[in-house]
Amino acid sequence: MTKNNTILIVEDEMIIAANISLQLTHLGYEVTGIVPRAEEVLQQISKQIPDIILMDINLKGDLDGIEVVHLIQKEYKIPIIYLTANSNEAHFNRAKETNPYAFVSKPFKKLDLQRAIELTLVRIQDERNTDKSLNLLTEEPFILSDCIFVRSHDKMVKVCISNILYIEAERNYCKIHCKDKEHLLVMTLKDIEEKLMSNTLLRIHRSFIVNLSHIDEIATNHVVIAKKAIPLSADLKKKLLLHIQKV
């Protein structure tokens, strides 16, 4: 985890705020500002969005820290670490509704604050990695006339139509079965069928698209490809036989 992460301090006790700022600077973090009043928080964030906000719950004024966080979360997704000298159940339950990343009770030791921030940064990185993985996984494949480019880790891999044995639906996913391996697509079978431009791939069942070139047997209610029996819908059998003649 790299340092120089940015932190905004919202604390109305300026001596405490200055001490926190000094500790954070010594730890290698960048303090984007010290805000003593709830009404000034959104204005400060609009100037520079911090990586983390240290939020005192018991702010002086019309709004407390929890109410400020609710306002922040309407516009921003910024991890919150609460600072509080009041650990009663009512405060905790209200704060819990905002899904904070940590609580640090006053008075706190430097190590307590350091660990809370480090754990928050680890969680932020984990969430970013998860989001990145989901974005990669959900990227739609490129379906061309002779191949399909599918996502594999951090790259797009070419899968030749000629190597595809059949495509099987699994809820909102599809699995491409090839001669040597399988590929998972976050795409429905219906969407794949609509985008296919190959004359050799044909849907023969609600859950299967097959490669006509690899069919070994055609039975009354199934076909066989690579020793696997694949169901054949009665209403699609005629369509299959017509396409077989053209392949």
Side-chain angles (χ1 to χ4, degrees):
M1 187 70 60
T2 59
K3 290 296 181 74
N4 296 323
N5 295 93
T6 58
I7 300 175
L8 173 65
I9 301 170
V10 182
E11 168 63 65
D12 58 7
E13 297 289 344
M14 293 309 294
I15 294 177
I16 295 175
N19 183 46
I20 293 172
S21 179
L22 186 62
Q23 291 183 32
L24 294 179
T25 301
H26 284 165
L27 291 170
Y29 301 110
E30 177 187 344
V31 177
T32 63
I34 297 174
V35 181
R37 295 179 57 83
E39 293 77 12
E40 300 171 5
V41 176
L42 286 174
Q43 183 180 0
Q44 177 65 33
I45 294 173
S46 68
K47 296 176 183 178
Q48 183 178 356
I49 300 175
D51 294 317
I52 297 172
I53 296 177
L54 295 182
M55 177 67 68
D56 181 24
I57 289 181
N58 301 304
L59 295 174
K60 296 173 184 175
D62 296 332
L63 301 176
D64 66 13
I66 301 169
E67 292 169 316
V68 175
V69 170
H70 278 294
L71 294 176
I72 293 170
Q73 291 178 337
K74 289 180 179 179
E75 298 184 44
Y76 305 96
K77 185 180 178 181
I78 305 172
I80 303 294
I81 297 176
Y82 281 118
L83 307 175
T84 180
N86 188 342
S87 57
N88 68 50
E89 195 71 14
H91 271 78
F92 178 76
N93 288 332
R94 285 181 56 229
K96 194 166 60 172
E97 292 177 359
T98 65
N99 297 312
Y101 282 56
F103 284 86
V104 178
S105 296
K106 298 179 185 178
F108 53 82
K109 298 178 182 177
K110 179 180 178 181
L111 185 60
D112 295 334
L113 183 62
Q114 180 181 354
R115 285 175 174 171
I117 293 172
E118 288 181 358
L119 288 173
T120 296
L121 290 172
V122 169
R123 182 174 160 189
I124 291 171
Q125 190 59 53
D126 287 343
E127 290 172 351
R128 287 174 180 169
N129 290 340
T130 300
D131 289 342
K132 182 179 178 182
S133 298
L134 288 174
N135 288 336
L136 291 176
L137 182 61
T138 56
E139 184 172 337
E140 285 197 359
F142 304 138
I143 300 178
L144 306 177
S145 59
D146 62 343
C147 65
I148 300 175
F149 281 88
V150 301
R151 173 63 64 181
S152 177
H153 301 296
D154 60 345
K155 56 182 183 260
M156 299 296 283
V157 176
K158 180 180 179 180
V159 179
C160 293
I161 298 293
S162 59
N163 288 331
I164 296 175
L165 299 175
Y166 57 92
I167 304 173
E168 182 179 5
E170 294 186 358
R171 296 184 182 178
N172 292 326
Y173 296 80
C174 281
K175 187 177 291 184
I176 297 179
H177 296 263
C178 296
K179 295 177 181 179
D180 54 350
K181 66 184 303 184
E182 298 175 351
H183 302 276
L184 187 65
L185 301 183
V186 184
M187 195 174 189
T188 66
L189 199 67
K190 181 180 178 182
D191 288 339
I192 292 177
E193 182 184 24
E194 290 175 350
K195 295 184 178 184
L196 280 174
M197 295 178 280
S198 171
N199 292 326
T200 60
L201 292 178
L202 181 70
R203 188 167 187 166
I204 65 167
H205 184 269
R206 68 175 184 273
S207 299
F208 288 92
I209 289 174
V210 301
N211 190 329
L212 303 180
S213 301
H214 292 294
I215 294 178
D216 299 314
E217 299 176 20
I218 301 177
T220 303
N221 56 10
H222 72 273
V223 302
V224 176
I225 296 180
K227 298 182 180 180
K228 178 177 175 63
I230 298 172
L232 172 62
S233 297
D235 58 336
L236 294 175
K237 185 173 182 179
K238 184 177 180 180
K239 184 179 180 180
L240 168 64
L241 295 175
L242 287 173
H243 275 74
I244 285 285
Q245 295 173 15
K246 297 176 183 179
V247 176

